[in-house]
Amino acid sequence: MARLHRILLTASSVWLALAGVVSSLTVKGKTFPSMIDVTIDDLSAGLESGLFTSVDLVNTYVSRIMEVNDTLHAVIEINPDALAIAADLDAKRAMGKNLGPLHGIPILIKNNIATKDKMDNTAGSWSLLGARVPEDSGMAKKLRQAGAIILGKSNLSQWANYRSSNSSNGWSAHGGQVYGAYCPSMDPSGSSSGSGVSSALGLALAALGTETSGSIVSPSQKGNLVGIKPTVGLTSRHLVIPISEHQDTVGPMARTVKDAAYILQAIAGYDPKDNYTSAIPHCGKIPNYLAALDKDGLKGARIGVPYNILPTSNSTEMVAYYDAIEVMKAAGATIVAANFLNGSASTSSVVLEADFVSNLASYLAELTYNPNNIKSLADLREFTQSFALEEYPDRDTETWDEALALGYNNSDGRFWDGLQQNYYAGGEAGLLGAIERNKVDTIIMPTSLSAGRAAIVGAPIVTVPLGFYPNGTTVVTTSRGLVTTAPNVPFGLSFLGGKFTEATLIKLAYAFEQKTMVRNKVQPFLVPTTELGNIVGF
């Protein structure tokens, strides 16, 4: 965190002087949305008209980060080149060159997505501080090609929640503990914790997260956000610190379905350095996700409800879930019972364990500078258990211990057995089988129950805001004091689909979002006050 503070103090003496200025929802006398509500369309229009510049946006977002980061620890590092990049993009725009909807828009990326610049890529570990990569990750390249400004790196659950059995969501040794935005000491969920909090509070327009099982959709629901967990292979994982090549994916976390669709449009596509992207249908042609946005998109849709795997309780989330079904019915959808053939089919932990052993070693071998000579999971465990700032054994390495105790990696024949077990549980017996047998466009589930059902077969999910826990809700905390349930804590609704059906899921999620507009009903407990109007003209 010291480096973040140093960069901010160096780059933002003007912004510090503005900390006491009353926030302005006007820019040069024109009414303009708050940065917690602003959309890509709003920013693009303002940039194109000359109302403000991308430099103004960077200054505004960095000031907002400074206001709350000492409390919430959502951002681990600011890109020291962000202002220079913004100025260059402003110059391109002035010369009539526009790279698209993301031109000059600041976006944060999770601190396991590598960039070949002055920023680190550590997965929250001191072991990789100072390590260098040979080139930008596939995701960073895509963002830059689209004209986005990579504003910085968001904090995360260390190693994407794949180290400890007794840690906490949002904690990393290098970045500290992320806290959620909707109540004090809130569990932000993980592992894309900082991405969720940053998007929720307008610390950037949006953020990228990664998911192996739940790491986009879960912190998105806790941030009252839209999160798109793409099909494995739709977005490149090249030079993203891995867990599992069979389950890892990268996707957007944004405040609206439309903004998430804009970003997915920019980052999806073939990458020769990730062979899973060769599975994209239609010779790699990406659908027009923006064209899928239809406020009447629920009309005529077949919505699957997997009754036999849902809780029978009348909990707050389940009541809201069944209310959502009524909304969809009223919008013209057909509700179909889409039960799983075997909702309790067993799955295998071998896939993640053996993949991690192999995939981590492959990532480490790509480094052009490896300051602690970490070349394997065994090396990483040794470093972590001996370096005091990693907080071992208070936060253990049990997940790694089990992976190493397995005694083999994903090239072993025994790995295949575990993979097929998962493919059956998520395929014929689970999600994909239910979709196919019942000819539904989607399966809907409470987001808190959805992740694993899609993860084991690499299927996509779009989560949207569904509701909030009401006043009077009993406060529930973890053993480390993080609040998991309390008044105003958000929860979400997930649209799950077959592989590469993101356009359909986006259509349905957008229609539901437009019918309900849940996001606007509760505000975070801590909101930055700096607005564009405080910055423009200084």
Side-chain angles (χ1 to χ4, degrees):
M1 298 299 290
R3 182 174 179 182
L4 170 61
H5 293 155
R6 184 169 66 252
I7 291 167
L8 289 170
L9 289 168
T10 300
S12 58
S13 56
V14 173
W15 311 325
L16 279 168
L18 297 170
V21 178
V22 176
S23 16
S24 172
L25 296 182
T26 63
V27 178
K28 297 179 181 176
K30 295 185 177 181
T31 301
F32 196 78
S34 167
M35 299 306 284
I36 202 171
D37 297 318
V38 75
T39 66
I40 288 174
D41 285 343
D42 294 328
L43 294 184
S44 293
L47 289 166
E48 197 63 24
S49 69
L51 186 61
F52 49 83
T53 66
S54 292
V55 167
D56 294 329
L57 288 180
V58 169
N59 286 346
T60 301
Y61 282 127
V62 171
S63 182
R64 290 173 69 84
I65 291 168
M66 290 181 69
E67 284 188 61
V68 300
N69 210 55
D70 280 347
T71 301
L72 301 180
H73 308 134
V75 179
I76 201 168
E77 187 171 8
I78 293 289
N79 185 352
D81 296 324
L83 281 173
I85 293 167
D88 180 66
L89 289 165
D90 284 335
K92 285 184 170 66
R93 187 185 296 275
M95 293 186 293
K97 184 176 182 180
N98 190 324
L99 298 177
L102 299 188
H103 186 114
I105 305 294
I107 290 176
L108 288 162
I109 64 176
K110 187 175 178 179
N111 191 29
N112 60 352
I113 303 172
T115 51
K116 185 175 171 55
D117 54 18
K118 296 170 186 173
M119 291 189 289
D120 285 301
N121 193 49
T122 68
S125 169
W126 291 96
S127 66
L128 292 182
L129 189 64
R132 290 294 173 257
V133 292
E135 60 182 332
D136 272 343
S137 62
M139 288 296 90
K141 286 179 183 177
K142 289 276 193 183
L143 286 175
R144 295 193 207 276
Q145 289 165 2
I149 300 166
I150 300 176
L151 182 63
K153 296 289 190 78
S154 56
N155 198 4
L156 73 167
S157 308
Q158 190 179 42
W159 295 104
N161 257 349
Y162 203 73
R163 165 189 155 177
S164 308
S165 62
N166 67 340
S167 190
S168 52
N169 287 321
W171 178 87
S172 72
H174 184 219
Q177 176 66 58
V178 181
Y179 294 100
Y182 280 83
C183 71
S185 300
M186 179 181 162
D187 187 327
S189 194
S191 64
S192 304
S193 314
S195 292
V197 174
S198 296
S199 295
L201 293 178
L203 307 187
L205 184 280
L208 291 190
T210 68
E211 175 156 336
T212 306
S213 182
S215 289
I216 290 173
V217 298
S218 188
S220 289
Q221 76 159 342
K222 293 296 186 181
N224 195 23
L225 297 171
V226 175
I228 300 180
K229 179 253 179 181
T231 304
V232 171
L234 183 64
T235 53
S236 171
R237 291 84 51 82
H238 175 56
L239 290 179
V240 176
I241 296 175
I243 294 176
S244 166
E245 64 185 80
H246 293 91
Q247 293 187 198
D248 292 350
T249 188
V250 185
M253 302 167 69
R255 293 184 295 276
T256 69
V257 174
K258 189 174 186 180
D259 283 352
Y262 269 128
I263 296 168
L264 184 63
Q265 196 76 56
I267 64 175
Y270 175 68
D271 182 350
K273 295 187 176 179
D274 182 350
N275 67 327
Y276 282 69
T277 61
S278 63
I280 297 173
H282 310 298
C283 300
K285 184 177 181 180
I286 301 302
N288 185 338
Y289 297 124
L290 276 299
L293 302 173
D294 179 359
K295 64 182 178 60
D296 296 317
L298 285 163
K299 187 175 183 179
R302 288 176 58 83
I303 307 295
V305 178
Y307 292 102
N308 69 334
I309 63 166
L310 294 175
T312 56
S313 69
N314 61 346
S315 67
T316 298
E317 286 189 50
M318 291 310 300
V319 169
Y321 173 79
Y322 285 110
D323 286 346
I325 291 174
E326 295 305 313
V327 170
M328 294 183 204
K329 282 182 183 177
T334 299
I335 307 302
V336 180
N339 289 334
F340 285 18
L341 188 64
N342 183 354
S344 58
S346 61
T347 58
S348 174
S349 64
V350 163
V351 174
L352 298 192
E353 292 167 352
D355 264 351
F356 190 56
V357 170
S358 295
N359 297 159
L360 177 64
S362 296
Y363 175 84
L364 295 170
E366 294 251 26
L367 298 177
T368 57
Y369 178 61
N370 189 338
N372 292 298
N373 201 32
I374 307 295
K375 296 183 178 180
S376 67
L377 179 55
D379 292 342
L380 178 60
R381 182 175 67 173
E382 182 179 358
F383 177 94
T384 301
Q385 292 182 352
S386 61
F387 192 77
L389 294 178
E390 292 288 332
E391 296 192 16
Y392 178 86
D394 179 53
R395 300 176 192 262
D396 63 36
T397 57
E398 184 175 351
T399 303
W400 299 348
D401 299 342
E402 292 173 355
L404 289 169
L406 192 65
Y408 58 87
N409 64 22
N410 66 6
S411 65
D412 190 281
R414 289 168 288 183
F415 172 82
W416 179 255
D417 295 335
L419 185 62
Q420 294 310 302
Q421 185 178 346
N422 285 1
Y423 282 173
Y424 172 75
E428 181 182 352
L431 173 66
L432 300 184
I435 291 171
E436 179 63 27
R437 284 191 307 276
N438 297 285
K439 308 302 179 189
V440 294
D441 297 303
T442 185
I443 298 283
I444 59 167
M445 297 182 68
T447 296
S448 58
L449 303 176
S450 68
R453 303 291 181 173
I456 52 178
V457 285
I461 303 174
V462 178
T463 181
V464 296
L466 177 59
F468 305 85
Y469 282 95
N471 290 335
T473 297
T474 300
V475 175
V476 179
T477 62
T478 69
S479 61
R480 293 188 181 272
L482 297 182
V483 175
T484 58
T485 306
N488 295 335
V489 169
F491 52 85
L493 176 70
S494 281
F495 294 81
L496 297 81
K499 294 182 180 182
F500 300 107
T501 60
E502 282 79 3
T504 297
L505 302 184
I506 286 168
K507 176 182 179 180
L508 300 173
Y510 178 78
F512 180 79
E513 173 196 56
Q514 295 302 302
K515 295 289 184 187
T516 57
M517 300 303 288
V518 171
R519 176 171 173 77
N520 301 331
K521 296 179 180 178
V522 173
Q523 290 295 303
F525 86 98
L526 176 64
V527 179
T529 59
T530 303
E531 299 289 349
L532 259 172
N534 301 132
I535 299 296
V536 175
F538 287 88

